[in-house]
Amino acid sequence: MQSVPVRCARPAFGQNGLRGRSANARGYAVKVDAALKVAVTGAAGRTGSLVAQKLAQRKEDFDVRAIVRNSSSKPKLTALGVPEAAVFEADISQGSGAAFAKAFAGCEALVIATSGVPVLKPLSLIPVMWAKITGGKPAMPEFSWKEGQTPEQVDWLGQKAQIDAAKAAGIKHVVLVSSMGGTDPSNNLNKLGDNGNILQWKRKAEQYLIASGLKYTIIHPGGLIDKPDGERQLVVDVDDKLINQPVRSIPRGDVAELSVQCLKLKSAVNRSIDVIARNPGDGTPTKDFDALLSGLKANCDYSINSQM
Ligand code: NAP
């Protein structure tokens, strides 16, 4: 289709007066892609906040809306460059359908970075320390979940509520930051917090997203670390094959960057993948995310340990 030049006295509208249209050197309006309106949930979390920050930094491409559990997280988001008016509140445990509907209104894409957060049982540290001091049999710290914040409530029902609200709001694409390990019901993470089965509930939400008919991208990172992003080669695969790699961690910033890139890439649509990072210096830092995703033909297979 040929675009018809339109003489314009001043830029049309939006951010910097240029969103959706820009004026070329001769003063003609040239159609450019409008900034994609993207909601991020779990936006005060360690990965979610990096997603929100990256979106806020790329104003030409993205119009960010950050959704936090409560208002105490607002200053964190504004300090990262998210406009105050773009920070919304929705607590999954408070039956937040209406809050999500308000927050998602007008958005085209959603990045879900919410997760049940285990709480350490302080007394469980005593045997851990004792074993260290005496060189005896190692003990593991124990965790619990706050009332209303179990994996079933946050990772399954909370994510289901977000997917339903996204669909109702007309959102087209959902990027879900989940976790590696979902093929194996006996994965140790499922034992966390008196058998909270976090990976099982996450997998159920992933399958719900796939069945929703929305475009989806499901990212299963390996162990998350707080190291600088953009310095490592990322490796993608499916069905937890990467669990056998000697290094299977990935900086949260790299997961955030991948999530943001996926919003714009056809090769990310209707994909479910695992991702880890090599150590710095081992391989070339990943810059071409389309090549990364296009180079992997397979998708995760949900007939393995299906939760639906
Ligand atoms: P995180 O810092 O624990 O953030 C989780 C977010 O979820 C927080 O912002 C939290 O809100 C929000 N949340 C929890 N309950 C909520 C509720 N009831 N209503 C609204 N929001 C709620 O996350 P992360 O460590 O960056 O992990 C990101 C994702 O990767 C998670 O799905 C995690 O399971 C997964 N993952 C983790 C690892 C790992 O090594 N830790 C490995 C692989 C994958 P507040 O900010 O208010 O607390």
Side-chain angles (χ1 to χ4, degrees):
M1 196 175 72
Q2 209 176 349
S3 62
V4 182
V6 185
R7 192 88 183 158
C8 67
R10 60 195 155 112
F13 55 92
Q15 289 176 1
N16 308 324
L18 294 172
R19 215 187 77 221
R21 269 160 199 263
S22 172
N24 70 9
R26 298 175 65 197
Y28 290 110
V30 179
K31 197 172 181 329
V32 295
D33 283 346
L36 191 74
K37 287 190 171 58
V38 185
V40 186
T41 59
R46 288 164 291 179
T47 304
S49 60
L50 295 173
V51 173
Q53 183 179 36
K54 284 173 184 286
L55 292 171
Q57 283 168 344
R58 298 173 201 177
K59 291 189 174 54
E60 295 295 316
D61 289 328
F62 301 107
D63 185 354
V64 64
R65 198 167 290 179
I67 294 114
V68 297
R69 189 204 308 245
N70 60 47
S71 59
S72 64
S73 295
K74 280 195 176 185
K76 176 173 182 178
L77 272 298
T78 51
L80 293 174
V82 178
E84 197 174 344
V87 185
F88 287 67
E89 285 170 53
D91 184 333
I92 291 166
S93 63
Q94 303 297 317
S96 37
F100 282 127
K102 190 176 161 201
F104 293 169
C107 289
E108 298 155 279
L110 166 66
V111 179
I112 299 179
T114 51
S115 177
V117 183
V119 183
L120 179 74
K121 293 181 183 173
L123 291 180
S124 74
L125 284 179
I126 295 171
V128 176
M129 301 305 290
W130 184 249
K132 279 203 172 149
I133 293 164
T134 61
K137 194 177 166 216
M140 296 298 286
E142 292 175 18
F143 296 85
S144 62
W145 308 96
K146 281 191 187 154
E147 200 184 330
Q149 309 285 333
T150 64
E152 180 178 5
Q153 287 156 317
V154 177
D155 294 272
W156 161 231
L157 295 172
Q159 294 191 345
K160 177 178 181 289
Q162 293 178 58
I163 293 160
D164 289 342
K167 201 168 175 178
I171 281 176
K172 301 280 182 278
H173 184 191
V174 177
V175 176
L176 174 56
V177 181
S178 191
S179 178
M180 221 152 81
T183 61
D184 179 9
S186 65
N187 186 296
N188 272 338
L189 286 175
N190 285 321
K191 300 186 181 103
L192 200 70
D194 304 322
N195 298 318
N197 279 322
I198 190 163
L199 296 181
Q200 302 283 78
W201 294 119
K202 281 184 187 291
R203 195 161 181 84
K204 189 163 175 141
E206 292 169 25
Q207 290 183 265
Y208 189 79
L209 172 59
I210 292 168
S212 72
L214 294 169
K215 289 184 199 167
Y216 67 87
T217 309
I218 298 165
I219 299 173
H220 299 134
L224 297 179
I225 52 175
D226 294 316
K227 298 280 181 192
D229 60 294
E231 296 182 353
R232 300 166 194 239
Q233 182 169 334
L234 304 189
V235 182
V236 290
D237 210 326
V238 294
D239 301 335
D240 294 335
K241 291 184 193 124
L242 295 171
I243 277 186
N244 300 319
Q245 290 287 318
V247 178
R248 52 173 192 263
S249 54
I250 179 168
R252 285 184 166 85
D254 283 320
V255 176
E257 183 63 33
L258 176 61
S259 305
V260 169
Q261 294 280 342
C262 284
L263 293 165
K264 291 271 184 173
L265 292 175
K266 274 192 184 154
S267 51
V269 172
N270 295 347
R271 300 298 304 276
S272 175
I273 53 145
D274 306 341
V275 63
I276 58 169
R278 296 202 191 289
N279 281 332
D282 179 8
T284 311
T286 298
K287 302 291 172 204
D288 186 343
F289 290 80
D290 192 24
L292 177 76
L293 295 171
S294 303
L296 176 72
K297 297 298 168 218
N299 245 359
C300 286
D301 176 0
Y302 285 86
S303 69
I304 307 169
N305 190 25
S306 175
Q307 298 301 306
M308 293 297 251

